[in-house]
Amino acid sequence: MEQVIQCLGAFLGCLGFSFVFRIHRRLDYVLIASFGGTLGWIVYLLVIPYLSNIMSSLCAMIIVALFSEIMATIFIVVGCFPIVPGKGIYQTMLYLISYDQKLFIDSLFQTVGTALALATAILIVSTFFKVIKTIKQKDDHL
C-alpha cells in the first residue's frame, strides 16, 4: 500500500511540476509527462531492494529517458522530478551548516553519485538514439 501511495505522490508531483514548465496548455501532455515520472518511480521501487540507491536511480532514469525519447524530449524534465535527490541535497547542506563532517561527506557523495547517475542515464539513452538515427540516415542514402 505504501508503494501505491508513493506512486500516486510521484504522479501528483509531476502533475504540479508540469505546470511550472507550462506543459499544462495541453492536458494530454500533462498526463503523459506525469505518467513518465510515475513509471520511473515504479522502476525505482522495483529495483531498490536489489541495488544501491545510485544504481536504482540510474535504472529509473534510463526508463524515464527512454520514455521521453520515444514520446517527446520535454517530458524528461518532468519525468526526472521524482528521482532527483532533493532530500539528499537538503541533508548535505544541513550537515554542512551543522559542522557534522562525517555525515556531510557521506551525504555529499551519495547525492553527487545519484545526480551523476541521472546525467549518465540521459547521456546513455540520448547517445543510443542518436546512433540509431545516424545509422538510419546512412541506410537511407544507400
Side-chain angles (χ1 to χ4, degrees), residues 46-108:
L46 289 174
V47 298
I48 193 69
Y50 308 105
L51 301 173
S52 69
N53 183 38
I54 293 172
M55 291 305 295
S56 298
S57 297
L58 177 75
C59 293
M61 195 63 210
I62 286 174
I63 297 301
V64 171
L66 281 169
F67 177 83
S68 298
E69 285 285 340
I70 293 168
M71 300 303 286
T73 312
I74 185 68
F75 295 150
I76 201 163
V77 176
V78 176
C80 72
F81 177 70
I83 308 166
V84 171
K87 178 183 174 189
I89 295 168
Y90 171 79
Q91 286 178 331
T92 301
M93 291 299 106
L94 178 67
Y95 298 143
L96 176 67
I97 63 173
S98 300
Y99 301 107
D100 194 337
Q101 188 174 10
K102 183 186 179 336
L103 287 175
F104 167 71
I105 296 295
D106 290 344
S107 181
L108 178 69

